[in-house]
């Protein structure tokens, strides 16, 4: 089994190193909200079982909204597992890769078998081993001619990953 700081497990899969911390942060946010709502209601003398249930439901909905999907990648595959389901694509059979703008930038990958995965680009930027798995599969797709659109989005993401890795090296060596 891999040690705590490693991103690659013995079976050759890479995963998001910050996933567990992000889940803990989601639990903390939901817990703080619940505690504050219950405290304010109790202080106002309006706390009832029904209102407590309502606040608990609201905190649970916040947790479900904030809880990140677990992203993993192996040889020629990428998966994103949320609380409800797991989505998987074959990176060696990618048909399209799109970068979706919004509150947070996301990468939408579609394969020839109908698989579809949407992941935050930050996950790939923070985890170079995960990015290397995705990039290797995408290169294979491009070489085989199945990747019809998305090469530009992958190149831009590769530049971003390389820039962040260089910054990390400079930070670690004290040259920043």
């Amino acid at each position: 089994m891999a040690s705590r700081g490693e991103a690659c497990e013995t079976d050759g899969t890479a995963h998001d190193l910050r996933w567990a911390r992000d889940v803990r942060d989601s639990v903390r946010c939901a817990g703080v909200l619940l505690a504050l709502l219950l405290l304010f209601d109790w202080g106002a003398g309006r706390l009832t079982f029904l209102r407590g249930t309502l606040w608990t439901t609201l905190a649970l909905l916040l947790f479900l909204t904030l809880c990140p999907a677990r992203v993993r990648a192996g040889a020629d595959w990428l998966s994103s597992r949320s609380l409800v389901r797991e989505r998987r694509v074959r990176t060696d059979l990618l048909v399209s890769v799109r970068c979706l703008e919004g509150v947070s930038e996301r990468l939408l990958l579609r394969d020839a078998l109908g698989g579809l995965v949407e992941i935050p680009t930050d996950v790939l930027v923070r985890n170079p081993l995960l990015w290397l798995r995705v990039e290797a599969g995408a290169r294979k797709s491009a070489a085989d001619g199945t990747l019809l659109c998305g090469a530009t989005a992958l190149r831009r993401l590769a530049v971003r990953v390389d820039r962040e890795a260089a910054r990390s090296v400079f930070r670690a060596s004290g040259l920043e």
Side-chain angles (χ1 to χ4, degrees), residues 2 35 40-41 44 46 55 88 99 108 116 127 132 168:
F40 288 143
D41 237 12
R46 298 180 53 148
W55 300 143
R88 188 180 281 246
C99 202
L108 182 67
L116 180 71
N127 300 284
L132 289 175
S168 297

Side-chain angles (χ1 to χ4, degrees), residues 2 5-6 22 24 28 35 53 56 94 103 110 122 156 162:
E6 296 177 12
D22 290 345
R24 281 191 303 271
R28 284 184 191 124
T53 304
T56 303
L94 287 176
V103 174
R110 185 182 310 266
D122 289 347
R156 278 188 292 165
D162 291 343

Side-chain angles (χ1 to χ4, degrees), residues 2 6 16 33 61 63 76 81 85 134-135 144 154 176:
E6 296 177 12
D16 183 6
L33 176 69
L61 288 174
F63 169 73
D76 300 330
R81 181 175 188 81
R85 68 186 295 188
V134 173
E135 185 184 34
D144 293 345
L154 287 171
E176 187 178 45

Side-chain angles (χ1 to χ4, degrees), residues 70-141:
R70 184 169 195 163
V71 178
R72 295 173 42 137
D76 300 330
W77 61 269
L78 174 75
S79 73
S80 174
R81 181 175 188 81
S82 66
L83 292 172
V84 180
R85 68 186 295 188
E86 181 176 15
R87 294 182 182 260
R88 188 180 281 246
V89 291
R90 291 279 310 264
T91 55
D92 61 335
L93 298 175
L94 287 176
V95 174
S96 71
V97 177
R98 295 180 189 204
C99 202
L100 305 174
E101 303 288 328
V103 174
S104 67
E105 189 177 67
R106 302 183 76 71
L107 200 64
L108 182 67
L109 301 113
R110 185 182 310 266
D111 68 13
L113 304 173
L116 180 71
V117 169
E118 184 177 332
I119 60 170
T121 56
D122 289 347
V123 171
L124 296 173
V125 171
R126 286 189 318 249
N127 300 284
L129 290 176
L130 195 58
W131 165 248
L132 289 175
R133 296 281 183 171
V134 173
E135 185 184 34
R139 269 190 274 118
K140 193 182 286 186
S141 292

